[in-house]
Amino acid sequence: MLRQIIHVDMDAFFASVEQRDHPEFAGKPVVVGGKPETRGVVAAASYEARKFGVRSAMAMALAVKKCPDLIIVPPRHHEYERVSRSIMEIFYQFTPLVEQISIDEAFLDVTGSLGLFQTAENIGRTIQQKIWQVHALTASVGIGPNKFVAKLASDFHKPQGFTMVHPDQVASFLDPLIVHTIWGIGEKTALTLNKLGIKTVGDAKSLSLTRLEALFGKQGKQIFYLCRGIDERPVVPEHEAKSLGKEITFSQDIIDVSYLFSIAGKLADQVGLRLRKGSKQCRTVTLKLRYCDWETISRSHTCTDPTNLTKTIYQNISLLIKKELPLKKPVRLLGVSVSNLCSENVQQQSLFGAQDVREAELTKVTDHLKEKYGEMAVVPGSVLYGKKTNFRKMD
Ligand SMILES: [Mg+2]
């Protein structure tokens, strides 16, 4: 079936919020981030700052060199998160199929909403207007028959872009773009392709599937389809997500490692509980750490046997944390998530060792107690140490 996918991406989100709230910054080069003397990095740059070559993730010291009049604003993540939630609410007015991919962008599958709102174009324009009316912020909108095309389209005329790519325009839209724009193509792959004379997405079509697979393995297949504008990935709303997780943003950045472990234990327990409630198990456990300067790392471990036991999830998360020690910077956010989900298979239990069976029995009892007396009725020992309440947000 022909789909209609919209990608909405806020323009220079953090910087735009600051320019909106500080009218004296309007039209000026503004960045959000840490100070250069604290080895800060640029979290977001206004379009005026970008003219000087300032980019996000750039060291602040370098940014100041490029633009001596740069206005550096400390981040107000609470505010960005609040605005983000409100913007996502606008999207849900048009479709339940909203997949948020970062704080300031989301995919919407509006195929089923066209009866109500006529066209995808109409929905896209209305969303842009609503975001402006409610938040005095601008967004760029891209519309296409799939996620890949929609995302490239939203980036096409930023800021305040509006690009609609009809199915019969996909080839003419994609062909002239540099091959780097294809998802998953990094420096190395791009270099290999360039050496073969492949500069644009259109050029890449000259390579056969066999050739691409021989060159890049599994990724070759992806390149083959994406350069032809073929992308079947669905828009996955949160409740059907293939992963689930919990994260905490601390009110103060954390350097106390034992506290981190205790919170990891609590998160692992919540994630485990959600898996067990849904009769699901996971194979992959992922740790997310965001440092005080907003640098974010994500580390995963995939287990041979699927699990939904708090203890096993916690053990894996602990190992991942240990690999990041000593902490290079204070931590502002800790997240635990699980993916590679499968349905709980009762028979599989017999494959577990006696210890796991005992652990599973014990978990059943504690789950029952939690159900009856609330989540804090039974907590892993690791959590008790860190019974502080300085969370910014728990979701
Ligand atoms: Mg953006």
Side-chain angles (χ1 to χ4, degrees):
M1 187 184 59
L2 208 54
R3 295 184 296 158
Q4 299 267 338
I5 310 294
I6 300 183
H7 180 252
V8 186
D9 184 16
M10 299 302 295
D11 300 324
F13 184 47
F14 300 169
S16 302
V17 171
E18 296 305 335
Q19 284 182 312
R20 175 196 72 179
D21 293 350
H22 300 91
E24 68 275 22
F25 295 163
K28 300 220 167 105
V30 173
V31 290
V32 171
K35 291 189 181 120
E37 54 273 26
T38 58
R39 293 180 301 151
V41 291
V42 175
S46 74
Y47 286 90
E48 295 83 358
R50 293 181 195 196
K51 282 186 193 142
F52 292 85
V54 174
R55 296 281 179 273
S56 45
M58 181 180 274
M60 195 59 83
L62 178 62
V64 173
K65 243 183 231 167
K66 285 182 180 279
C67 177
D69 292 329
L70 197 62
I71 299 168
I72 303 171
V73 188
R76 290 184 296 148
H77 294 296
H78 266 316
E79 178 61 11
Y80 311 146
E81 279 160 14
R82 193 187 64 79
V83 176
S84 168
R85 276 195 296 275
S86 167
I87 289 168
M88 297 299 150
E89 286 306 316
I90 295 177
F91 301 159
Y92 284 105
Q93 294 169 13
F94 298 91
T95 173
L97 297 178
V98 176
E99 180 179 347
Q100 185 175 356
I101 52 173
S102 78
I103 191 163
D104 78 325
E105 53 183 311
F107 287 110
L108 287 71
D109 185 334
V110 297
T111 317
S113 317
L114 300 180
L116 220 58
F117 302 102
Q118 287 90 45
T119 62
E121 186 175 0
N122 190 25
I123 296 174
R125 296 261 182 221
T126 314
I127 285 174
Q128 252 180 342
Q129 281 163 10
K130 284 202 172 198
I131 294 176
W132 176 252
Q133 283 161 2
V134 178
H135 296 286
L137 293 169
T138 65
S140 292
V141 168
I143 304 174
N146 57 50
K147 283 173 149 183
F148 175 59
V149 173
K151 182 151 165 69
L152 287 177
S154 75
D155 203 35
F156 205 56
H157 287 300
K158 260 183 162 299
Q160 291 187 66
F162 190 96
T163 306
M164 170 120 193
V165 183
H166 290 280
D168 57 0
Q169 299 168 328
V170 169
S172 55
F173 173 71
L174 291 180
D175 284 354
L177 302 176
I178 55 163
V179 78
H180 220 123
T181 45
I182 295 179
W183 273 348
I185 293 199
E187 296 293 339
K188 226 179 114 192
T189 309
L191 206 69
T192 311
L193 287 167
N194 288 176
K195 277 186 191 149
L196 293 168
I198 309 293
K199 297 254 168 9
T200 65
V201 176
D203 293 342
K205 286 192 205 163
S206 65
L207 298 175
S208 69
L209 179 58
T210 329
R211 184 82 200 280
L212 280 164
E213 280 182 324
L215 282 167
F216 308 111
K218 221 174 140 189
Q219 200 202 355
K221 193 173 175 184
Q222 182 171 318
I223 296 172
F224 179 84
Y225 286 109
L226 290 183
C227 71
R228 286 165 176 76
I230 301 167
D231 173 20
E232 302 290 349
R233 284 166 309 160
V235 171
V236 183
E238 222 257 317
H239 63 274
E240 286 172 19
K242 294 194 170 57
S243 67
L244 58 93
K246 292 270 180 185
E247 54 185 52
I248 286 175
T249 304
F250 303 107
S251 61
Q252 289 159 11
D253 297 332
I254 302 297
I255 42 166
D256 180 351
V257 174
S258 42
Y259 184 58
L260 272 189
F261 278 111
S262 74
I263 297 303
K266 186 177 166 63
L267 296 175
D269 193 41
Q270 292 176 345
V271 168
L273 188 65
R274 269 175 72 184
L275 279 174
R276 296 189 294 272
K277 269 190 179 169
S279 302
K280 289 248 165 20
Q281 293 186 314
C282 70
R283 274 205 170 80
T284 304
V285 175
T286 302
L287 163 77
K288 178 171 159 189
L289 281 182
R290 177 166 293 150
Y291 293 107
C292 54
D293 61 0
W294 210 246
E295 185 200 342
T296 308
I297 61 155
S298 166
R299 303 280 182 261
S300 295
H301 177 75
T302 298
C303 320
T304 0
D305 295 319
T307 186
N308 57 19
L309 297 179
T310 294
K311 194 179 162 193
T312 315
I313 297 168
Y314 176 66
Q315 279 166 348
N316 283 297
I317 281 295
S318 300
L319 288 174
L320 293 169
I321 295 178
K322 279 179 192 153
K323 283 187 189 159
E324 301 308 314
L325 301 180
L327 288 173
K328 52 178 180 177
K329 283 170 275 192
V331 172
R332 62 170 280 123
L333 177 149
L334 172 70
V336 172
S337 62
V338 291
S339 53
N340 241 326
L341 305 187
C342 56
S343 298
E344 199 169 33
N345 185 346
V346 188
Q347 287 187 331
Q348 230 156 21
Q349 299 251 333
S350 59
L351 296 172
F352 293 163
Q355 227 188 342
D356 276 349
V357 173
R358 213 169 52 228
E359 184 66 29
E361 291 300 326
L362 183 66
T363 306
K364 255 185 221 156
V365 176
T366 54
D367 282 357
H368 179 69
L369 288 173
K370 280 177 199 160
E371 197 83 44
K372 221 169 164 184
Y373 301 110
E375 280 217 352
M376 288 310 281
V378 188
V379 290
S382 57
V383 172
L384 294 174
Y385 164 83
K387 225 182 156 198
K388 297 178 188 171
T389 47
N390 61 340
F391 305 145
R392 278 191 188 125
K393 185 189 105 189
M394 273 193 61
D395 49 24

